[in-house]
Amino acid sequence: QVQLVESGGGLVQAGDSLRLSCAASGRTSGNYAMGWFRQAPGQERECVAAINYSGARTFYANSVKGRFTISRDNAKNAVYLQMNSLKPEDTAVYYCAADRSVAVPVSLYEYDYWGQGTQVTVSS
Protein backbone atom coordinates (compact mmCIF):
# COMPACT_ATOMS: atom_id res chain seq x y z
CA GLN A 1 0.00 0.00 0.00
CA VAL A 2 1.02 3.57 -0.67
CA GLN A 3 -0.25 6.43 1.45
CA LEU A 4 -0.45 9.92 -0.03
CA VAL A 5 -0.88 13.15 1.90
CA GLU A 6 -1.45 16.48 0.16
CA SER A 7 -0.71 19.90 1.62
CA GLY A 8 -0.46 23.49 0.51
CA GLY A 9 -4.03 24.33 -0.38
CA GLY A 10 -5.73 27.50 0.78
CA LEU A 11 -7.67 30.63 -0.09
CA VAL A 12 -5.98 33.01 -2.51
CA GLN A 13 -6.92 35.81 -4.86
CA ALA A 14 -6.99 35.60 -8.62
CA GLY A 15 -3.48 35.98 -10.01
CA ASP A 16 -1.80 34.54 -6.94
CA SER A 17 0.30 31.39 -6.76
CA LEU A 18 0.17 28.25 -4.65
CA ARG A 19 2.41 25.22 -4.40
CA LEU A 20 0.82 21.91 -3.57
CA SER A 21 2.88 19.10 -2.14
CA CYS A 22 2.18 15.40 -1.93
CA ALA A 23 4.16 13.13 0.37
CA ALA A 24 4.16 9.41 -0.30
CA SER A 25 4.84 6.72 2.28
CA GLY A 26 4.50 2.99 2.58
CA ARG A 27 5.51 0.71 -0.27
CA THR A 28 7.01 3.45 -2.40
CA SER A 29 9.67 1.31 -4.05
CA GLY A 30 9.13 0.81 -7.72
CA ASN A 31 8.27 3.10 -10.57
CA TYR A 32 5.16 5.13 -9.86
CA ALA A 33 3.63 7.68 -12.14
CA MET A 34 2.06 10.52 -10.19
CA GLY A 35 -0.88 12.70 -11.04
CA TRP A 36 -2.69 15.74 -9.73
CA PHE A 37 -6.45 15.73 -10.14
CA ARG A 38 -9.09 18.23 -9.15
CA GLN A 39 -12.79 18.07 -8.53
CA ALA A 40 -15.12 21.02 -8.28
CA PRO A 41 -18.64 20.67 -6.82
CA GLY A 42 -20.94 18.91 -9.25
CA GLN A 43 -18.15 18.15 -11.67
CA GLU A 44 -16.14 15.06 -12.52
CA ARG A 45 -12.64 14.58 -11.21
CA GLU A 46 -10.17 15.62 -13.88
CA CYS A 47 -6.45 15.22 -14.36
CA VAL A 48 -4.68 18.56 -14.41
CA ALA A 49 -1.12 17.23 -14.53
CA ALA A 50 0.79 13.97 -14.45
CA ILE A 51 4.42 12.92 -14.48
CA ASN A 52 6.24 9.68 -15.04
CA TYR A 53 8.75 8.24 -12.58
CA SER A 54 11.85 9.81 -14.12
CA GLY A 55 10.17 13.17 -14.60
CA ALA A 56 11.03 13.16 -18.28
CA ARG A 57 7.41 12.93 -19.41
CA THR A 58 4.56 15.13 -18.29
CA PHE A 59 0.96 15.84 -19.13
CA TYR A 60 -1.02 19.02 -18.59
CA ALA A 61 -4.67 19.72 -19.14
CA ASN A 62 -5.23 22.48 -21.66
CA SER A 63 -6.86 24.63 -19.00
CA VAL A 64 -3.63 24.79 -16.94
CA LYS A 65 -0.90 24.70 -19.59
CA GLY A 66 1.58 27.50 -19.09
CA ARG A 67 0.34 28.19 -15.55
CA PHE A 68 0.87 24.92 -13.64
CA THR A 69 4.06 22.91 -13.33
CA ILE A 70 4.32 19.38 -11.95
CA SER A 71 7.60 18.11 -10.55
CA ARG A 72 8.82 15.35 -8.30
CA ASP A 73 11.66 14.50 -5.95
CA ASN A 74 12.00 10.73 -5.81
CA ALA A 75 14.58 10.90 -3.04
CA LYS A 76 11.94 12.56 -0.86
CA ASN A 77 9.02 10.51 -2.22
CA ALA A 78 7.29 13.77 -3.06
CA VAL A 79 5.48 15.37 -5.97
CA TYR A 80 4.62 19.03 -6.33
CA LEU A 81 2.22 21.20 -8.28
CA GLN A 82 3.25 24.81 -8.73
CA MET A 83 0.18 26.83 -9.64
CA ASN A 84 0.66 30.35 -10.96
CA SER A 85 -1.79 32.94 -12.26
CA LEU A 86 -4.63 31.24 -10.46
CA LYS A 87 -8.17 31.83 -11.67
CA PRO A 88 -11.51 31.43 -9.89
CA GLU A 89 -12.23 28.45 -12.13
CA ASP A 90 -9.25 26.66 -10.57
CA THR A 91 -11.26 26.41 -7.36
CA ALA A 92 -11.58 22.72 -6.46
CA VAL A 93 -10.37 19.98 -4.18
CA TYR A 94 -7.00 18.84 -5.48
CA TYR A 95 -5.97 15.21 -5.16
CA CYS A 96 -2.64 13.49 -5.54
CA ALA A 97 -2.64 10.01 -7.07
CA ALA A 98 -0.12 7.27 -7.77
CA ASP A 99 -0.08 4.50 -10.34
CA ARG A 100 2.50 1.76 -10.83
CA SER A 101 3.11 2.59 -14.46
CA VAL A 102 5.94 3.59 -16.73
CA ALA A 103 3.55 5.75 -18.73
CA VAL A 104 1.79 8.98 -17.82
CA PRO A 105 -1.79 8.00 -17.02
CA VAL A 106 -4.43 10.70 -17.30
CA SER A 107 -7.56 8.72 -16.48
CA LEU A 108 -8.54 8.56 -12.83
CA TYR A 109 -9.45 4.89 -13.33
CA GLU A 110 -5.80 4.06 -13.97
CA TYR A 111 -4.62 5.26 -10.58
CA ASP A 112 -4.38 2.89 -7.66
CA TYR A 113 -3.71 5.21 -4.72
CA TRP A 114 -5.23 8.52 -3.72
CA GLY A 115 -4.69 11.19 -1.14
CA GLN A 116 -7.47 12.78 0.87
CA GLY A 117 -7.39 16.02 -1.08
CA THR A 118 -6.64 19.64 -0.29
CA GLN A 119 -8.99 22.56 -0.96
CA VAL A 120 -7.91 25.35 -3.26
CA THR A 121 -10.18 28.38 -3.39
CA VAL A 122 -9.45 31.30 -5.71
CA SER A 123 -11.46 34.46 -5.15
CA SER A 124 -12.06 37.01 -7.89
mmCIF file of all heavy atoms in Angstrom, residues 75-116:
data_model
loop_
_atom_site.group_PDB
_atom_site.id
_atom_site.type_symbol
_atom_site.label_atom_id
_atom_site.label_comp_id
_atom_site.label_asym_id
_atom_site.label_seq_id
_atom_site.Cartn_x
_atom_site.Cartn_y
_atom_site.Cartn_z
ATOM 1 N N ALA A 75 13.824 11.135 -4.271
ATOM 2 C CA ALA A 75 14.576 10.901 -3.038
ATOM 3 C C ALA A 75 13.739 11.226 -1.813
ATOM 4 O O ALA A 75 13.927 10.637 -0.741
ATOM 5 C CB ALA A 75 15.853 11.729 -3.042
ATOM 6 N N LYS A 76 12.804 12.158 -1.967
ATOM 7 C CA LYS A 76 11.936 12.561 -0.857
ATOM 8 C C LYS A 76 10.545 11.928 -0.965
ATOM 9 O O LYS A 76 9.684 12.204 -0.131
ATOM 10 C CB LYS A 76 11.791 14.077 -0.821
ATOM 11 C CG LYS A 76 13.090 14.814 -0.535
ATOM 12 C CD LYS A 76 12.856 16.323 -0.461
ATOM 13 C CE LYS A 76 14.149 17.046 -0.121
ATOM 14 N NZ LYS A 76 13.947 18.520 -0.063
ATOM 15 N N ASN A 77 10.342 11.108 -1.988
ATOM 16 C CA ASN A 77 9.018 10.515 -2.221
ATOM 17 C C ASN A 77 7.943 11.607 -2.253
ATOM 18 O O ASN A 77 6.906 11.511 -1.575
ATOM 19 C CB ASN A 77 8.682 9.483 -1.145
ATOM 20 C CG ASN A 77 9.518 8.236 -1.263
ATOM 21 O OD1 ASN A 77 9.863 7.795 -2.363
ATOM 22 N ND2 ASN A 77 9.893 7.665 -0.130
ATOM 23 N N ALA A 78 8.200 12.634 -3.032
ATOM 24 C CA ALA A 78 7.292 13.771 -3.060
ATOM 25 C C ALA A 78 7.031 14.210 -4.492
ATOM 26 O O ALA A 78 7.874 14.059 -5.373
ATOM 27 C CB ALA A 78 7.869 14.935 -2.260
ATOM 28 N N VAL A 79 5.845 14.762 -4.688
ATOM 29 C CA VAL A 79 5.483 15.369 -5.967
ATOM 30 C C VAL A 79 4.845 16.719 -5.668
ATOM 31 O O VAL A 79 4.220 16.898 -4.618
ATOM 32 C CB VAL A 79 4.529 14.458 -6.771
ATOM 33 C CG1 VAL A 79 3.216 14.253 -6.053
ATOM 34 C CG2 VAL A 79 4.311 14.996 -8.175
ATOM 35 N N TYR A 80 5.051 17.661 -6.567
ATOM 36 C CA TYR A 80 4.616 19.027 -6.335
ATOM 37 C C TYR A 80 3.788 19.532 -7.513
ATOM 38 O O TYR A 80 3.928 19.058 -8.640
ATOM 39 C CB TYR A 80 5.832 19.937 -6.144
ATOM 40 C CG TYR A 80 6.806 19.415 -5.119
ATOM 41 C CD1 TYR A 80 7.962 18.741 -5.512
ATOM 42 C CD2 TYR A 80 6.573 19.586 -3.751
ATOM 43 C CE1 TYR A 80 8.863 18.242 -4.578
ATOM 44 C CE2 TYR A 80 7.465 19.092 -2.809
ATOM 45 C CZ TYR A 80 8.597 18.427 -3.227
ATOM 46 O OH TYR A 80 9.478 17.929 -2.302
ATOM 47 N N LEU A 81 2.946 20.512 -7.234
ATOM 48 C CA LEU A 81 2.218 21.203 -8.283
ATOM 49 C C LEU A 81 2.320 22.693 -8.008
ATOM 50 O O LEU A 81 1.719 23.201 -7.055
ATOM 51 C CB LEU A 81 0.748 20.769 -8.321
ATOM 52 C CG LEU A 81 -0.053 21.346 -9.489
ATOM 53 C CD1 LEU A 81 0.451 20.764 -10.819
ATOM 54 C CD2 LEU A 81 -1.538 21.066 -9.326
ATOM 55 N N GLN A 82 3.131 23.361 -8.818
ATOM 56 C CA GLN A 82 3.250 24.813 -8.729
ATOM 57 C C GLN A 82 2.156 25.422 -9.576
ATOM 58 O O GLN A 82 2.075 25.164 -10.775
ATOM 59 C CB GLN A 82 4.625 25.275 -9.231
ATOM 60 C CG GLN A 82 4.822 26.771 -9.220
ATOM 61 C CD GLN A 82 4.839 27.355 -7.832
ATOM 62 O OE1 GLN A 82 5.458 26.795 -6.927
ATOM 63 N NE2 GLN A 82 4.144 28.473 -7.645
ATOM 64 N N MET A 83 1.315 26.228 -8.952
ATOM 65 C CA MET A 83 0.178 26.825 -9.639
ATOM 66 C C MET A 83 0.334 28.339 -9.641
ATOM 67 O O MET A 83 0.335 28.958 -8.572
ATOM 68 C CB MET A 83 -1.132 26.424 -8.955
ATOM 69 C CG MET A 83 -1.309 24.915 -8.807
ATOM 70 S SD MET A 83 -2.919 24.446 -8.151
ATOM 71 C CE MET A 83 -2.810 25.129 -6.501
ATOM 72 N N ASN A 84 0.495 28.903 -10.814
ATOM 73 C CA ASN A 84 0.656 30.351 -10.960
ATOM 74 C C ASN A 84 -0.548 30.935 -11.682
ATOM 75 O O ASN A 84 -1.317 30.218 -12.333
ATOM 76 C CB ASN A 84 1.928 30.661 -11.750
ATOM 77 C CG ASN A 84 3.183 30.176 -11.051
ATOM 78 O OD1 ASN A 84 3.251 30.111 -9.824
ATOM 79 N ND2 ASN A 84 4.189 29.823 -11.835
ATOM 80 N N SER A 85 -0.699 32.230 -11.569
ATOM 81 C CA SER A 85 -1.787 32.943 -12.257
ATOM 82 C C SER A 85 -3.128 32.251 -12.027
ATOM 83 O O SER A 85 -3.882 31.982 -12.971
ATOM 84 C CB SER A 85 -1.493 33.022 -13.760
ATOM 85 O OG SER A 85 -0.260 33.677 -13.990
ATOM 86 N N LEU A 86 -3.413 31.979 -10.788
ATOM 87 C CA LEU A 86 -4.628 31.237 -10.456
ATOM 88 C C LEU A 86 -5.879 32.010 -10.832
ATOM 89 O O LEU A 86 -5.909 33.254 -10.758
ATOM 90 C CB LEU A 86 -4.649 30.884 -8.981
ATOM 91 C CG LEU A 86 -3.739 29.699 -8.605
ATOM 92 C CD1 LEU A 86 -3.451 29.661 -7.128
ATOM 93 C CD2 LEU A 86 -4.383 28.388 -9.056
ATOM 94 N N LYS A 87 -6.896 31.267 -11.244
ATOM 95 C CA LYS A 87 -8.166 31.832 -11.666
ATOM 96 C C LYS A 87 -9.275 31.270 -10.783
ATOM 97 O O LYS A 87 -9.134 30.171 -10.227
ATOM 98 C CB LYS A 87 -8.444 31.455 -13.124
ATOM 99 C CG LYS A 87 -7.366 31.859 -14.107
ATOM 100 C CD LYS A 87 -7.684 31.338 -15.497
ATOM 101 C CE LYS A 87 -6.599 31.709 -16.490
ATOM 102 N NZ LYS A 87 -6.902 31.211 -17.855
ATOM 103 N N PRO A 88 -10.387 31.961 -10.677
ATOM 104 C CA PRO A 88 -11.507 31.430 -9.885
ATOM 105 C C PRO A 88 -11.937 30.040 -10.342
ATOM 106 O O PRO A 88 -12.346 29.216 -9.509
ATOM 107 C CB PRO A 88 -12.604 32.471 -10.101
ATOM 108 C CG PRO A 88 -11.862 33.751 -10.335
ATOM 109 C CD PRO A 88 -10.651 33.353 -11.116
ATOM 110 N N GLU A 89 -11.823 29.763 -11.630
ATOM 111 C CA GLU A 89 -12.227 28.450 -12.133
ATOM 112 C C GLU A 89 -11.263 27.338 -11.731
ATOM 113 O O GLU A 89 -11.531 26.168 -11.993
ATOM 114 C CB GLU A 89 -12.394 28.470 -13.662
ATOM 115 C CG GLU A 89 -11.229 29.074 -14.415
ATOM 116 C CD GLU A 89 -11.465 30.544 -14.754
ATOM 117 O OE1 GLU A 89 -11.931 31.307 -13.876
ATOM 118 O OE2 GLU A 89 -11.144 30.916 -15.910
ATOM 119 N N ASP A 90 -10.158 27.677 -11.115
ATOM 120 C CA ASP A 90 -9.250 26.662 -10.574
ATOM 121 C C ASP A 90 -9.711 26.175 -9.199
ATOM 122 O O ASP A 90 -9.114 25.238 -8.649
ATOM 123 C CB ASP A 90 -7.826 27.223 -10.448
ATOM 124 C CG ASP A 90 -7.195 27.535 -11.798
ATOM 125 O OD1 ASP A 90 -7.357 26.730 -12.738
ATOM 126 O OD2 ASP A 90 -6.530 28.586 -11.899
ATOM 127 N N THR A 91 -10.739 26.804 -8.665
ATOM 128 C CA THR A 91 -11.255 26.406 -7.358
ATOM 129 C C THR A 91 -11.758 24.969 -7.390
ATOM 130 O O THR A 91 -12.587 24.606 -8.231
ATOM 131 C CB THR A 91 -12.389 27.343 -6.922
ATOM 132 O OG1 THR A 91 -11.852 28.655 -6.738
ATOM 133 C CG2 THR A 91 -13.028 26.865 -5.624
ATOM 134 N N ALA A 92 -11.226 24.141 -6.494
ATOM 135 C CA ALA A 92 -11.576 22.717 -6.459
ATOM 136 C C ALA A 92 -10.833 22.066 -5.301
ATOM 137 O O ALA A 92 -9.948 22.671 -4.689
ATOM 138 C CB ALA A 92 -11.189 22.031 -7.766
ATOM 139 N N VAL A 93 -11.184 20.815 -5.045
ATOM 140 C CA VAL A 93 -10.366 19.977 -4.182
ATOM 141 C C VAL A 93 -9.333 19.297 -5.079
ATOM 142 O O VAL A 93 -9.696 18.711 -6.100
ATOM 143 C CB VAL A 93 -11.205 18.923 -3.445
ATOM 144 C CG1 VAL A 93 -10.304 18.019 -2.607
ATOM 145 C CG2 VAL A 93 -12.251 19.594 -2.568
ATOM 146 N N TYR A 94 -8.084 19.409 -4.687
ATOM 147 C CA TYR A 94 -6.997 18.842 -5.484
ATOM 148 C C TYR A 94 -6.498 17.567 -4.817
ATOM 149 O O TYR A 94 -6.236 17.537 -3.613
ATOM 150 C CB TYR A 94 -5.856 19.850 -5.607
ATOM 151 C CG TYR A 94 -6.155 20.925 -6.623
ATOM 152 C CD1 TYR A 94 -7.118 21.912 -6.365
ATOM 153 C CD2 TYR A 94 -5.507 20.952 -7.856
ATOM 154 C CE1 TYR A 94 -7.416 22.887 -7.308
ATOM 155 C CE2 TYR A 94 -5.796 21.927 -8.800
ATOM 156 C CZ TYR A 94 -6.751 22.888 -8.517
ATOM 157 O OH TYR A 94 -7.039 23.861 -9.455
ATOM 158 N N TYR A 95 -6.376 16.525 -5.643
ATOM 159 C CA TYR A 95 -5.968 15.213 -5.164
ATOM 160 C C TYR A 95 -4.664 14.785 -5.828
ATOM 161 O O TYR A 95 -4.465 14.995 -7.024
ATOM 162 C CB TYR A 95 -7.028 14.167 -5.491
ATOM 163 C CG TYR A 95 -8.367 14.386 -4.855
ATOM 164 C CD1 TYR A 95 -9.346 15.140 -5.492
ATOM 165 C CD2 TYR A 95 -8.667 13.827 -3.617
ATOM 166 C CE1 TYR A 95 -10.589 15.342 -4.919
ATOM 167 C CE2 TYR A 95 -9.912 14.019 -3.029
ATOM 168 C CZ TYR A 95 -10.858 14.778 -3.685
ATOM 169 O OH TYR A 95 -12.080 14.967 -3.098
ATOM 170 N N CYS A 96 -3.848 14.130 -5.052
ATOM 171 C CA CYS A 96 -2.639 13.493 -5.545
ATOM 172 C C CYS A 96 -2.946 12.012 -5.747
ATOM 173 O O CYS A 96 -3.685 11.411 -4.938
ATOM 174 C CB CYS A 96 -1.530 13.680 -4.511
ATOM 175 S SG CYS A 96 -0.009 12.804 -4.837
ATOM 176 N N ALA A 97 -2.386 11.420 -6.789
ATOM 177 C CA ALA A 97 -2.643 10.012 -7.075
ATOM 178 C C ALA A 97 -1.378 9.343 -7.589
ATOM 179 O O ALA A 97 -0.525 10.003 -8.188
ATOM 180 C CB ALA A 97 -3.768 9.872 -8.095
ATOM 181 N N ALA A 98 -1.294 8.039 -7.345
ATOM 182 C CA ALA A 98 -0.119 7.272 -7.774
ATOM 183 C C ALA A 98 -0.559 6.025 -8.525
ATOM 184 O O ALA A 98 -1.560 5.395 -8.182
ATOM 185 C CB ALA A 98 0.727 6.876 -6.558
ATOM 186 N N ASP A 99 0.211 5.682 -9.532
ATOM 187 C CA ASP A 99 -0.077 4.498 -10.340
ATOM 188 C C ASP A 99 1.237 3.816 -10.694
ATOM 189 O O ASP A 99 2.170 4.473 -11.150
ATOM 190 C CB ASP A 99 -0.820 4.890 -11.614
ATOM 191 C CG ASP A 99 -1.039 3.700 -12.525
ATOM 192 O OD1 ASP A 99 -1.650 2.705 -12.075
ATOM 193 O OD2 ASP A 99 -0.590 3.752 -13.682
ATOM 194 N N ARG A 100 1.282 2.509 -10.492
ATOM 195 C CA ARG A 100 2.498 1.761 -10.831
ATOM 196 C C ARG A 100 2.523 1.576 -12.340
ATOM 197 O O ARG A 100 2.000 0.619 -12.889
ATOM 198 C CB ARG A 100 2.530 0.402 -10.134
ATOM 199 C CG ARG A 100 3.864 -0.299 -10.295
ATOM 200 C CD ARG A 100 3.839 -1.679 -9.636
ATOM 201 N NE ARG A 100 3.766 -1.602 -8.188
ATOM 202 C CZ ARG A 100 4.821 -1.436 -7.403
ATOM 203 N NH1 ARG A 100 6.027 -1.335 -7.934
ATOM 204 N NH2 ARG A 100 4.684 -1.388 -6.096
ATOM 205 N N SER A 101 3.097 2.569 -12.996
ATOM 206 C CA SER A 101 3.109 2.589 -14.456
ATOM 207 C C SER A 101 4.353 3.298 -14.950
ATOM 208 O O SER A 101 4.854 4.222 -14.291
ATOM 209 C CB SER A 101 1.862 3.301 -14.976
ATOM 210 O OG SER A 101 1.942 3.525 -16.369
ATOM 211 N N VAL A 102 4.830 2.896 -16.106
ATOM 212 C CA VAL A 102 5.945 3.590 -16.732
ATOM 213 C C VAL A 102 5.447 4.690 -17.651
ATOM 214 O O VAL A 102 6.229 5.493 -18.150
ATOM 215 C CB VAL A 102 6.848 2.621 -17.522
ATOM 216 C CG1 VAL A 102 7.461 1.597 -16.588
ATOM 217 C CG2 VAL A 102 6.074 1.943 -18.632
ATOM 218 N N ALA A 103 4.139 4.739 -17.852
ATOM 219 C CA ALA A 103 3.553 5.747 -18.730
ATOM 220 C C ALA A 103 3.136 6.963 -17.907
ATOM 221 O O ALA A 103 3.550 7.128 -16.759
ATOM 222 C CB ALA A 103 2.363 5.151 -19.460
ATOM 223 N N VAL A 104 2.320 7.806 -18.506
ATOM 224 C CA VAL A 104 1.787 8.977 -17.817
ATOM 225 C C VAL A 104 0.265 8.884 -17.888
ATOM 226 O O VAL A 104 -0.351 9.448 -18.801
ATOM 227 C CB VAL A 104 2.282 10.288 -18.470
ATOM 228 C CG1 VAL A 104 1.782 11.490 -17.672
ATOM 229 C CG2 VAL A 104 3.801 10.304 -18.543
ATOM 230 N N PRO A 105 -0.334 8.191 -16.961
ATOM 231 C CA PRO A 105 -1.787 7.997 -17.018
ATOM 232 C C PRO A 105 -2.526 9.305 -16.783
ATOM 233 O O PRO A 105 -2.103 10.131 -15.969
ATOM 234 C CB PRO A 105 -2.066 7.015 -15.873
ATOM 235 C CG PRO A 105 -0.743 6.468 -15.474
ATOM 236 C CD PRO A 105 0.253 7.507 -15.809
ATOM 237 N N VAL A 106 -3.631 9.490 -17.493
ATOM 238 C CA VAL A 106 -4.428 10.700 -17.300
ATOM 239 C C VAL A 106 -5.848 10.381 -16.875
ATOM 240 O O VAL A 106 -6.592 11.277 -16.503
ATOM 241 C CB VAL A 106 -4.445 11.576 -18.563
ATOM 242 C CG1 VAL A 106 -3.036 12.041 -18.890
ATOM 243 C CG2 VAL A 106 -5.061 10.847 -19.744
ATOM 244 N N SER A 107 -6.222 9.110 -16.921
ATOM 245 C CA SER A 107 -7.563 8.725 -16.482
ATOM 246 C C SER A 107 -7.531 8.367 -15.010
ATOM 247 O O SER A 107 -6.640 7.647 -14.554
ATOM 248 C CB SER A 107 -8.056 7.517 -17.271
ATOM 249 O OG SER A 107 -9.234 6.975 -16.681
ATOM 250 N N LEU A 108 -8.511 8.839 -14.270
ATOM 251 C CA LEU A 108 -8.536 8.560 -12.834
ATOM 252 C C LEU A 108 -8.668 7.067 -12.573
ATOM 253 O O LEU A 108 -8.260 6.585 -11.520
ATOM 254 C CB LEU A 108 -9.641 9.349 -12.156
ATOM 255 C CG LEU A 108 -11.099 9.065 -12.542
ATOM 256 C CD1 LEU A 108 -11.698 8.010 -11.618
ATOM 257 C CD2 LEU A 108 -11.948 10.327 -12.458
ATOM 258 N N TYR A 109 -9.236 6.326 -13.520
ATOM 259 C CA TYR A 109 -9.451 4.893 -13.333
ATOM 260 C C TYR A 109 -8.153 4.102 -13.412
ATOM 261 O O TYR A 109 -8.122 2.926 -13.053
ATOM 262 C CB TYR A 109 -10.457 4.385 -14.357
ATOM 263 C CG TYR A 109 -11.786 5.087 -14.254
ATOM 264 C CD1 TYR A 109 -12.182 6.027 -15.203
ATOM 265 C CD2 TYR A 109 -12.633 4.844 -13.176
ATOM 266 C CE1 TYR A 109 -13.394 6.689 -15.092
ATOM 267 C CE2 TYR A 109 -13.845 5.511 -13.066
ATOM 268 C CZ TYR A 109 -14.211 6.432 -14.020
ATOM 269 O OH TYR A 109 -15.402 7.095 -13.907
ATOM 270 N N GLU A 110 -7.085 4.732 -13.871
ATOM 271 C CA GLU A 110 -5.804 4.057 -13.971
ATOM 272 C C GLU A 110 -4.986 4.155 -12.694
ATOM 273 O O GLU A 110 -3.986 3.467 -12.544
ATOM 274 C CB GLU A 110 -5.001 4.650 -15.134
ATOM 275 C CG GLU A 110 -5.650 4.444 -16.497
ATOM 276 C CD GLU A 110 -4.801 5.024 -17.617
ATOM 277 O OE1 GLU A 110 -3.888 4.333 -18.095
ATOM 278 O OE2 GLU A 110 -5.045 6.182 -17.996
ATOM 279 N N TYR A 111 -5.401 5.024 -11.788
ATOM 280 C CA TYR A 111 -4.623 5.259 -10.581
ATOM 281 C C TYR A 111 -5.083 4.367 -9.436
ATOM 282 O O TYR A 111 -6.284 4.180 -9.215
ATOM 283 C CB TYR A 111 -4.705 6.734 -10.185
ATOM 284 C CG TYR A 111 -3.833 7.605 -11.051
ATOM 285 C CD1 TYR A 111 -4.283 8.082 -12.286
ATOM 286 C CD2 TYR A 111 -2.532 7.930 -10.654
ATOM 287 C CE1 TYR A 111 -3.463 8.855 -13.087
ATOM 288 C CE2 TYR A 111 -1.717 8.714 -11.458
ATOM 289 C CZ TYR A 111 -2.188 9.171 -12.665
ATOM 290 O OH TYR A 111 -1.381 9.939 -13.469
ATOM 291 N N ASP A 112 -4.102 3.852 -8.722
ATOM 292 C CA ASP A 112 -4.381 2.894 -7.655
ATOM 293 C C ASP A 112 -4.488 3.522 -6.273
ATOM 294 O O ASP A 112 -5.172 3.001 -5.392
ATOM 295 C CB ASP A 112 -3.275 1.828 -7.618
ATOM 296 C CG ASP A 112 -3.191 1.050 -8.908
ATOM 297 O OD1 ASP A 112 -4.249 0.645 -9.424
ATOM 298 O OD2 ASP A 112 -2.062 0.850 -9.408
ATOM 299 N N TYR A 113 -3.779 4.613 -6.066
ATOM 300 C CA TYR A 113 -3.706 5.206 -4.722
ATOM 301 C C TYR A 113 -4.045 6.686 -4.808
ATOM 302 O O TYR A 113 -3.642 7.374 -5.738
ATOM 303 C CB TYR A 113 -2.297 5.015 -4.139
ATOM 304 C CG TYR A 113 -1.860 3.576 -4.102
ATOM 305 C CD1 TYR A 113 -0.966 3.078 -5.059
ATOM 306 C CD2 TYR A 113 -2.348 2.698 -3.135
ATOM 307 C CE1 TYR A 113 -0.573 1.753 -5.044
ATOM 308 C CE2 TYR A 113 -1.961 1.373 -3.113
ATOM 309 C CZ TYR A 113 -1.076 0.910 -4.068
ATOM 310 O OH TYR A 113 -0.692 -0.401 -4.045
ATOM 311 N N TRP A 114 -4.757 7.142 -3.771
ATOM 312 C CA TRP A 114 -5.225 8.522 -3.724
ATOM 313 C C TRP A 114 -4.992 9.139 -2.361
ATOM 314 O O TRP A 114 -5.076 8.451 -1.334
ATOM 315 C CB TRP A 114 -6.723 8.572 -4.035
ATOM 316 C CG TRP A 114 -7.045 8.191 -5.443
ATOM 317 C CD1 TRP A 114 -7.243 6.926 -5.942
ATOM 318 C CD2 TRP A 114 -7.192 9.078 -6.544
ATOM 319 N NE1 TRP A 114 -7.505 6.977 -7.281
ATOM 320 C CE2 TRP A 114 -7.479 8.287 -7.688
ATOM 321 C CE3 TRP A 114 -7.110 10.455 -6.701
ATOM 322 C CZ2 TRP A 114 -7.680 8.840 -8.948
ATOM 323 C CZ3 TRP A 114 -7.311 11.007 -7.959
ATOM 324 C CH2 TRP A 114 -7.599 10.206 -9.062
ATOM 325 N N GLY A 115 -4.724 10.436 -2.375
ATOM 326 C CA GLY A 115 -4.685 11.188 -1.138
ATOM 327 C C GLY A 115 -6.086 11.642 -0.759
ATOM 328 O O GLY A 115 -7.061 11.377 -1.475
ATOM 329 N N GLN A 116 -6.169 12.350 0.358
ATOM 330 C CA GLN A 116 -7.471 12.778 0.872
ATOM 331 C C GLN A 116 -7.934 14.094 0.252
ATOM 332 O O GLN A 116 -9.106 14.471 0.413
ATOM 333 C CB GLN A 116 -7.421 12.909 2.394
ATOM 334 C CG GLN A 116 -6.835 14.218 2.923
ATOM 335 C CD GLN A 116 -5.348 14.356 2.708
ATOM 336 O OE1 GLN A 116 -4.646 13.407 2.350
ATOM 337 N NE2 GLN A 116 -4.826 15.557 2.941
#
